[in-house]
Amino acid sequence: MALDIEAATKLPPKVITVRVRRYNPETKKIWWQEYKVETHKGMTMLDVLLDIKENTDHTLAVRYSCRMGLCGSCGVNINGTPMLACQTQVSQVTSNARPVVTVEPLPNFPVVKDLMTEFSDFFNKHRSVKPYLIRKDTEEQENPKGHLKMNPEEFIDILQFSNCIFCGLCYSSCPVVAADPEYLGPQALMYTFRFINDVRDEGHKERFAIVDSEHGCHRCHFAATCSAVCPKAVDPAGAIQGLRSKLFKYRLGFFKKKSSEVLSAPPEKGERVPLPPEATTLPGVDLKQFEKEPVVIKLPKE
Amino acid sequence: MSDDEKFRSLEMENRQGFWKASLNPWLIRAKNNPERVAFVLHRVTGFIIIAFLLAHILETDSPVWSQYAPINGLSGWAAWTYIMGIESAWWARLGEWIVAGAVLFHALNGFRLLLTEFFGLGIGKPVEPKPPYEAPTLNAPQRTWLYIEFVVALVLWAFSAFLIFG
Amino acid sequence: MIEMENKASNIQIWQYITAILLIFLLGYHLLQRVPWLFNVSTFDQTLTSAFVYNQYKEAGWALLLLAWVALFHGLNGVRGMLFELHQGKTYNTIINVLFWLVFIVFAAIAALTIVKLPAY
Ligand code: SF4
Ligand code: SF4
Ligand code: FES
């Protein structure tokens, strides 16, 4: 979901009620629990959950790491929308008229405990599309002698997709994943497109064979919810349609892979040239003087 | 229960399932996502159309099959006229009108899907990602086509009501 | 294996080819029901047996093609949905067999309409 830039400047309701869907793997019980939390300006939903964990209920399980929208561990379903808890302001999801917010684990992922979900299927699917550069010349790839050429436009073609943080929000929102557990899912298909778009890559035939399967890219119905919830504008929906049309072109024999050549090696680094004796530092700077009286920078007191 | 089975059952617990996903466009409350509504409508209208199509093939074949199995003692084109008589009732017309709407939407939306999925047109080009992180496809021409198609389908549907009930 | 892998695309490509054909064929078929194009005044008058008999005689082949193409497109779409509903090898085979069965039966019925059409 696109960032709500204004949200952090707004004041959330003083006290909010958080309804959490909890799951205990030992007793196999699922229940809803309510907590009251006092808020402050700029509080995120992750802060709320940690506040609960710290002050009210230590048994609540939450996963997080970076708390700044970079690691992709804190995805939860807030009010029915998969979002990163750390990037969601309380003021964005509650109002004075309705100071209640529901938090659930991500749908389409098996739950480990409470809000923690199991990602191994997701990562296995990601691995299955070979998310690494494949070159015909493996020897060259292992011991590179030069660079692979890529101009800025070609870089933009893959930059957006490389921004994926593997948060799984797209996967949890997709209606096809909801029905077909074997569907590769938006993230893995988007990554296939990223490597097919990459001019340095030569493994497009292998990758096309992987996604052109029964549970591959043709399962997608372009509902675009994946793009609507993605916190990094990676746009898996667009990527999958691009992948499909390229796959059709490939099957019908019109596909031409853009491929970059290996550039020659950069010139060897020579010996470091020592400063000539007459070279000085900036005018007015006397190094010897500094050695005698070091400059002390005073920091303001806390 | 083996570990694997346990894992599977737990997994299915949190999966929303085929029916909910195909019938409820607001299963995931994502903002800025009319494509999902179009997806659900495309499915539902497709279902209506295939049900109608099977019935329609039998119905248009009535001058032939009624020669072997007459209805009400009527066969050939007389049977056709008899069936058309039944279908001029208000409930049959209502059904026809619903099918007409389904066909119109399915055709127009299908045209958009043909352009985006098959020809790869109208979807967003990769851009340098910047806050507030809006996915380019959600602002690409396909979105305009989607709105146009909703409006055109509604207008033509109203016109078909005029034809069928008028 | 390779064969199987190609299949997913092939099915989908046929879905799009039939879609393109349907735009034209169905457009034509819908226009057949617009009364003013044929100098009659109501929708019902385009459904009288004389009127329909003439249309069968004029463009029966187009209507037959439409029936086949639409059947394939529709049943194929339903097949895709059924594959999504449940997964499994036996299940897939059953669905595939059912798909061809229903397709052939209804395609044959549609063909009979044109071939054995009784005189008006
Ligand atoms: S594509 Fe977007 S939503 Fe999906 S895992 Fe990557 S960052 Fe998350
Ligand atoms: S565009 Fe495709 S992958 Fe994305 S949510 Fe829709 S069906 Fe799933
Ligand atoms: S904690 Fe890292 S993305 Fe939210």
Side-chain angles (χ1 to χ4, degrees), chain A residues 106 108-112 116-119, chain B residues 7 10-11 14-15:
Chain A
L106 285 181
N108 301 346
F109 285 101
V111 186
V112 180
M116 257 162 70
T117 40
E118 167 64 52
F119 267 53
Chain B
F7 181 76
L10 191 53
E11 176 178 48
N14 208 26
R15 231 173 247 290

Side-chain angles (χ1 to χ4, degrees), chain A residues 46 63-75 84-87 165 167 232:
Chain A
L46 184 65
R63 179 173 48 210
Y64 77 104
S65 176
C66 68
R67 82 235 171 297
M68 50 199 260
L70 282 177
C71 68
S73 348
C74 66
L84 293 181
C86 66
Q87 272 201 352
I165 57 170
C167 58
K232 294 281 158 192

